Amino acid sequence: MESKFSSLRNRIFFFFILLLIVVQTVSFFNSYYANKRTEKQQLTALITQAETQLKGELKTRKYYLSAFVEIAATDSELAHGILANDPDLSLILNNHRKRIDADIALVFNLNTEIIGELLVKDSNKEIKRVYTGNQIGDRFKHPSWLTEGLSQSFYHYNNEIYQLVITPVVNDHKSIGYIGLGYSLNNKLAEDLATLTNFNVGFGLETADQWQWVSINKAADSKQFSPNKAFNEEDFIAVNYPLGDVNGNQLIATAFQLRSSLVAAIIEDSLNLVILISVTLAISLIGAFIIASGVTEPVRRLVKLTKDIAKGNYQSEIFVGKTYELNQLAEQFGEMQDAIESREKEIIQQAFSDSLTGLPNRNQFQREMHAIANPYLLCQLNVRRLSDINDTLGHDVGDEVIQEIGNRLQTLELPLYHTSGNGFLLRLDHKMVEDAKDCIQEINAVIEPNFSYQNIAIHLQVNIGVTYSSGWAQSNQLLKEVDAAMQIAKRKNLLFQLYDPQIDLNTLDRLQLVNRLKSAIENDEFTLYYQPKLNLKNNTIEEVEALVRWVHPVNGLIAPDAFIQIVDQTGQMTALSNWVINKAIEQYFVWQESGIDINISVNISPENLLDDDFCQQLINKLCGSNELYKGFCFEITEDAFVDHNSKAIENISLLRKHGIYLSIDDYGTGYSSLAQLKNLPVQELKIDRCFIQHLTLQPEDQLIVSSTIQLSHQLGLSVVAEGVEDKKTLDWLVKNNCETAQGFFICRPLPVSELDRWLHNSEYKTRVIAENSVKENNASIVRNMSIIVNK
């Protein structure tokens, strides 16, 4: 068992004693100098001193009881014992009693019943015997004391009066009972106080007509002096200190002494007082130094430990001496040290590895890059169609796909990182640019085999960006390069793309176009070029296709291939389509006014066909009383009805219902078939240029185009061939009954001013309006232009 002095609690208690000694020394000084003046002043000082010491000691006892009863009230074992009505509650209670050497210990439940009671058999003896009281199970006679929180009362029981402090026991922020600890106001206490004050000290109860001593020091004559009766102040000097009420009687602490004894003691002890003060001061200084060193040294060691922890040193040993409480604190510091080390390892694990695949992540890649001096190829892999898998089969399956790809790539035994939801980084050390193709083939061979999920074969494909580093590269720059290359591979549907510095320039140009696009539409920075379509039956130009161009204030004329995808991605397709249609209508009216009868075909996107408002506005513009729809054809690509089946077909049917002429553009490049087209309300099919450009040289293309023309005619569709580059191709198309041709051999796309000159000088005929019709329509054309375009 730990010695009493090893407890921090006892050290604090002894420190309080030293403080009292200091106070006593000051009192002695006051008494010494008071003795030099008048006897009355000396006696007053002595009695004041006695009163101060008496009150101070009693207040100290109260403070000491209050402090430790609060500590006991927080004991979880005590709380458990109260809740469980533990029969061994007395053992727990005795542990708390022994810590402060209390003379009485009580535990109450919320019903004010006493459920634990310990008493000291003879509190005046040094060796105390404890027994269990006979009130257990009884209701406490003073229930109001229990509701006052932490409070002191004087309890009269078994012919003794106890200085008792009671406080609630709290568990989970709720009171579950009460605990009280107390000291007996016994003869030993009176003896100690008498020794301390040099006065006779006693405690008594004052009733209306008598005085009853409770305890008094041995040297006092209790019969000669009674505080409640008049006494000769020439013989005695006394002070009474009321403590409180006990069963209706006033409890009083009194200190008294014969005046003659005090005066003699003052004179006799003058020299002794000086010696005592000196010795006390020396002892106080030594004791204060020892205690301060004993208390602060462990604290300094703990401070050093916290500094070591802050520096990341978690292996420091903890030794704070033999003090019980400080050793408990040191143990908690040790547990905290281990917990911090464990959490730090966990945080590092989370920071530098991916939770889904367990692979190193982007942070780990950046940390490793600074130390790699050898050349290498860096590949960024993007899993294709992962969003489709997530949407169709669920994100759990998508996660399994990512894990499967990670497992397959690990078989290559190359540095591998999972950097995003569907992205991986793969480092191929000591590989050069010329090795890229072979390396990519090896990677693709590992990934390409189908992944089976519940009897569903999922074809795994990736787009790969590749960049080269000669070593000691900046990780952010490498990531930027390899991501730019991967985006190009993804956009062009390539297996891989090797990084080239020109990609960054294209990316910057693309960003600038994105930022300016909306204002470009608003500021009318676009223009229309027109490419004629030749009617092969009568060798007449009856229609032109409107093709949009961007007249950029810095970059000049920009072809649609450079910005159409940006328009689609930024949600500006409807705005641009409306602009093109309005401009085409304006030009149609201009040609009509000048007597040229040319229809205009306009491209509209799949996104436009999904927009009910766009389709309704188009109907409003074209399908009025002037039947403007007869002069226009709208070309739609195959994916408009393949990817967006129901809604797109619904709006296509609506447009055709109002007489609008529709054509399937770029036929043969998508996934549609003529069998699908037979159910669509379209009137024309436009064969893609990839089948026309080498038509006379490729028998396979001739077979495809010939069969397409025949089947289209059987379905009631007219056919347009785009991409005519020479006369042989044109003659072949005439021979095979194709209705219309379009291509550079006939005419390249031209701005309207150049197209007008071409029409005037061309070998082909142009359809014109009769002179009388022109005169009749001129007045209405200008009015209709503003009305229709603003619809």
Side-chain angles (χ1 to χ4, degrees):
M1 181 180 292
E2 300 285 343
S3 66
K4 289 184 178 181
F5 193 73
S6 68
S7 170
L8 180 62
R9 178 186 65 247
N10 290 340
R11 289 191 176 195
I12 294 173
F13 177 68
F14 294 145
F15 177 70
F16 286 159
I17 293 177
L18 290 175
L19 289 178
L20 291 175
I21 293 174
V22 173
V23 172
Q24 187 179 25
T25 302
V26 174
S27 299
F28 284 167
F29 269 111
N30 291 335
S31 299
Y32 175 78
Y33 287 110
N35 192 42
K36 300 299 181 181
R37 292 188 291 271
T38 64
E39 179 182 329
K40 183 176 181 180
Q41 290 175 328
Q42 293 170 352
L43 294 175
T44 302
L46 286 173
I47 196 63
T48 301
Q49 175 185 334
E51 182 180 5
T52 300
Q53 293 173 331
L54 179 62
K55 292 179 179 180
E57 179 63 16
L58 291 174
K59 288 180 179 179
T60 299
R61 285 162 59 95
K62 176 185 176 183
Y63 173 79
Y64 195 60
L65 283 169
S66 299
F68 283 94
V69 79
E70 283 191 312
I71 293 173
T74 62
D75 183 10
S76 59
E77 188 176 2
L78 176 62
H80 177 74
I82 293 174
L83 291 172
N85 199 16
D86 192 344
D88 294 329
L89 190 61
S90 296
L91 181 60
I92 301 171
L93 187 59
N94 192 43
N95 289 336
H96 291 293
R97 184 204 66 79
K98 288 193 296 183
R99 290 179 181 176
I100 57 171
D101 200 22
D103 298 320
I104 186 172
L106 298 170
V107 178
F108 314 86
N109 62 20
L110 292 177
N111 295 324
T112 72
E113 292 180 0
I114 299 174
I115 59 175
E117 180 183 22
L118 295 177
L119 299 168
V120 174
K121 190 168 186 179
D122 188 349
S123 60
N124 291 303
K125 292 183 178 181
E126 288 294 330
I127 300 176
K128 298 180 178 181
R129 297 177 60 187
V130 179
Y131 68 97
T132 302
N134 55 14
Q135 296 186 96
I136 295 177
D138 296 340
R139 290 192 179 273
F140 189 47
K141 296 179 180 179
H142 306 282
S144 61
W145 294 359
L146 305 181
T147 60
E148 295 175 359
L150 181 66
S151 63
Q152 172 184 271
S153 304
F154 291 94
Y155 182 42
H156 193 185
Y157 180 62
N158 274 3
N159 297 322
E160 290 194 54
I161 295 179
Y162 297 95
Q163 183 181 6
L164 183 65
V165 174
I166 299 174
T167 193
V169 177
V170 178
N171 183 51
D172 287 339
H173 307 292
K174 295 181 180 180
S175 295
I176 61 170
Y178 308 90
I179 183 173
L181 297 174
Y183 289 121
S184 174
L185 301 181
N186 53 21
N187 292 336
K188 185 178 182 300
L189 174 62
E191 198 70 39
D192 293 339
L193 291 174
T195 302
L196 181 64
T197 60
N198 285 326
F199 274 68
N200 293 315
V201 176
F203 299 91
L205 291 173
E206 182 182 30
T207 61
D209 56 354
Q210 65 179 358
W211 173 266
Q212 178 186 351
W213 286 106
V214 176
S215 61
I216 193 170
N217 63 304
K218 293 180 181 179
D221 187 352
S222 60
K223 296 180 180 180
Q224 186 179 5
F225 177 82
S226 180
N228 67 331
K229 295 182 179 179
F231 58 87
N232 189 353
E233 293 185 0
E234 294 297 326
D235 296 330
F236 289 95
I237 182 169
V239 63
N240 293 331
Y241 177 39
L243 298 179
D245 180 80
V246 177
N247 297 332
N249 298 321
Q250 186 70 22
L251 177 64
I252 296 175
T254 182
F256 61 97
Q257 186 61 279
L258 288 169
R259 182 181 290 270
S260 58
S261 298
L262 292 174
V263 173
I266 293 172
I267 296 173
E268 182 180 350
D269 292 339
S270 295
L271 181 59
N272 295 335
L273 185 60
V274 175
I275 298 172
L276 179 61
I277 290 173
S278 300
V279 173
T280 302
L281 180 60
I283 294 173
S284 299
L285 290 174
I286 294 171
F289 177 78
I290 294 172
I291 292 176
S293 298
V295 171
T296 58
E297 179 60 26
V299 174
R300 284 196 295 269
R301 291 176 181 173
L302 291 175
V303 169
K304 181 180 181 300
L305 173 65
T306 58
K307 291 180 178 179
D308 289 342
I309 293 174
K311 293 176 182 177
N313 179 12
Y314 302 115
Q315 307 304 321
S316 300
E317 295 184 359
I318 306 171
F319 177 74
V320 292
K322 298 181 179 180
T323 304
Y324 175 71
E325 287 82 356
L326 286 177
N327 272 309
Q328 282 188 314
L329 180 60
E331 289 176 4
Q332 294 301 314
F333 265 89
E335 293 178 6
M336 180 186 72
Q337 176 177 264
D338 295 339
I340 291 175
E341 181 180 13
S342 174
R343 282 195 294 270
E344 185 171 297
K345 289 179 179 178
E346 183 178 349
I347 290 170
I348 291 173
Q349 175 70 15
Q350 293 175 351
F352 294 101
S353 65
D354 174 62
S355 59
L356 177 62
T357 62
L359 294 171
N361 60 12
R362 182 185 297 268
N363 294 333
Q364 181 64 21
F365 168 78
Q366 292 176 327
R367 186 162 66 168
E368 292 179 1
M369 285 304 95
H370 302 295
I372 299 177
N374 56 270
Y376 56 88
L377 290 176
L378 182 65
C379 301
Q380 179 170 321
L381 290 76
N382 179 268
V383 182
R384 295 175 57 186
R385 302 190 310 278
L386 183 64
S387 60
D388 294 339
I389 294 173
N390 288 334
D391 294 342
T392 306
L393 301 176
H395 286 271
D396 291 343
V397 180
D399 289 345
E400 288 188 31
V401 169
I402 292 296
Q403 290 171 337
E404 175 65 18
I405 291 178
N407 292 336
R408 294 184 181 186
L409 290 173
Q410 287 184 82
T411 63
L412 297 172
E413 297 183 353
L414 296 171
L416 177 64
Y417 312 86
H418 185 212
T419 56
S420 64
N422 62 343
F424 293 85
L425 284 176
L426 196 63
R427 195 179 77 240
L428 295 91
D429 292 332
H430 304 291
K431 296 294 184 181
M432 310 302 287
V433 174
E434 52 268 24
D435 301 321
K437 186 174 181 180
D438 292 338
C439 293
I440 294 302
Q441 294 300 330
E442 184 180 356
I443 293 170
N444 193 49
V446 170
I447 294 175
E448 199 170 29
N450 288 348
F451 170 63
S452 179
Y453 174 77
Q454 294 184 355
N455 296 325
I456 300 174
I458 300 175
H459 185 200
L460 302 182
Q461 292 179 298
V462 293
N463 299 114
I464 305 174
V466 185
T467 190
Y468 170 75
S469 171
S470 59
W472 303 111
Q474 292 292 327
S475 59
N476 288 336
Q477 179 61 28
L478 278 179
L479 290 174
K480 178 183 175 184
E481 292 176 3
V482 77
D483 185 67
M486 186 277 294
Q487 293 296 339
I488 295 295
K490 184 178 179 182
R491 190 157 59 243
K492 295 183 177 181
N493 199 21
L494 303 175
L495 174 60
F496 78 99
Q497 172 68 49
L498 189 64
Y499 172 78
D500 185 277
Q502 186 63 37
I503 291 176
D504 286 337
L505 297 178
N506 294 339
T507 303
L508 179 60
D509 290 342
R510 181 182 176 86
L511 179 61
Q512 291 173 341
L513 293 180
V514 169
N515 292 335
R516 189 175 177 83
L517 180 61
K518 184 178 180 182
S519 61
I521 297 174
E522 296 171 350
N523 297 332
D524 218 23
E525 292 181 5
F526 291 89
T527 189
L528 290 183
Y529 276 47
Y530 298 91
Q531 186 173 28
K533 294 182 179 181
L534 179 64
N535 186 327
L536 299 180
K537 302 298 182 182
N538 55 23
N539 209 37
T540 303
I541 302 298
E542 297 180 351
E543 185 176 358
V544 293
E545 181 178 3
L547 301 169
V548 67
R549 301 289 188 269
W550 185 352
V551 186
H552 196 280
V554 176
N555 299 336
L557 193 68
I558 302 176
D561 289 345
F563 64 82
I564 285 298
Q565 187 180 30
I566 298 174
V567 173
D568 190 34
Q569 292 173 350
T570 56
Q572 299 295 321
M573 185 59 75
T574 298
L576 182 61
S577 296
N578 282 325
W579 184 92
V580 171
I581 292 169
N582 290 338
K583 290 298 179 182
I585 291 174
E586 289 180 14
Q587 186 57 46
Y588 176 79
F589 281 131
V590 170
W591 279 328
Q592 288 282 308
E593 186 178 6
S594 63
I596 299 174
D597 186 15
I598 291 184
N599 291 353
I600 301 176
S601 63
V602 178
N603 291 280
I604 56 177
S605 75
E607 180 184 338
N608 296 145
L609 292 174
L610 296 175
D611 188 343
D612 293 337
D613 291 339
F614 174 85
C615 294
Q616 188 59 51
Q617 289 174 11
L618 186 60
I619 292 170
N620 294 341
K621 287 178 181 180
L622 302 180
C623 301
S625 59
N626 54 8
E627 298 182 335
L628 187 59
Y629 64 86
K630 294 181 178 179
F632 286 85
C633 171
F634 291 92
E635 298 184 5
I636 57 178
T637 57
E638 293 177 78
D639 56 359
F641 54 87
V642 173
D643 292 344
H644 310 287
N645 195 350
S646 59
K647 173 56 70 174
I649 292 178
E650 179 182 333
N651 281 327
I652 289 173
S653 300
L654 178 65
L655 293 176
R656 184 56 196 153
K657 179 181 178 181
H658 286 80
I660 294 175
Y661 196 85
L662 300 173
S663 173
I664 299 298
D665 192 16
D666 298 335
Y667 179 78
T669 60
Y671 298 97
S672 65
S673 64
L674 288 171
Q676 289 177 294
L677 297 182
K678 70 178 182 179
N679 297 318
L680 289 177
V682 297
Q683 291 74 47
E684 183 180 276
L685 185 143
K686 192 174 186 180
I687 302 175
D688 189 73
R689 68 178 66 248
C690 67
F691 299 104
I692 305 298
Q693 286 176 327
H694 306 292
L695 183 63
T696 58
L697 302 177
Q698 299 287 346
E700 295 85 355
D701 289 345
Q702 293 177 14
L703 179 61
I704 292 171
V705 173
S706 175
S707 60
T708 300
I709 292 173
Q710 294 176 22
L711 290 171
S712 296
H713 289 165
Q714 292 175 9
L715 293 173
L717 303 177
S718 61
V719 179
V720 178
E722 66 172 334
V724 177
E725 306 290 341
D726 53 55
K727 190 174 188 308
K728 287 184 179 181
T729 301
L730 188 66
D731 292 341
W732 189 95
L733 291 170
V734 171
K735 182 179 178 182
N736 284 272
N737 298 318
C738 182
E739 286 86 356
T740 308
Q742 178 183 354
F744 275 30
F745 176 73
I746 300 169
C747 182
R748 61 183 176 87
L750 297 172
V752 67
S753 59
E754 294 183 26
L755 180 64
D756 286 343
R757 288 195 297 271
W758 183 86
L759 290 172
H760 180 73
N761 299 321
S762 172
E763 61 181 286
Y764 305 113
K765 294 181 290 184
T766 302
R767 192 171 61 184
V768 296
I769 304 174
E771 185 175 352
N772 291 337
S773 298
V774 173
K775 292 179 179 179
E776 292 175 1
N777 291 335
N778 277 349
S780 63
I781 285 175
V782 175
R783 174 168 45 84
N784 288 336
M785 283 175 59
S786 60
I787 293 174
I788 294 173
V789 170
N790 289 322
K791 279 189 178 180

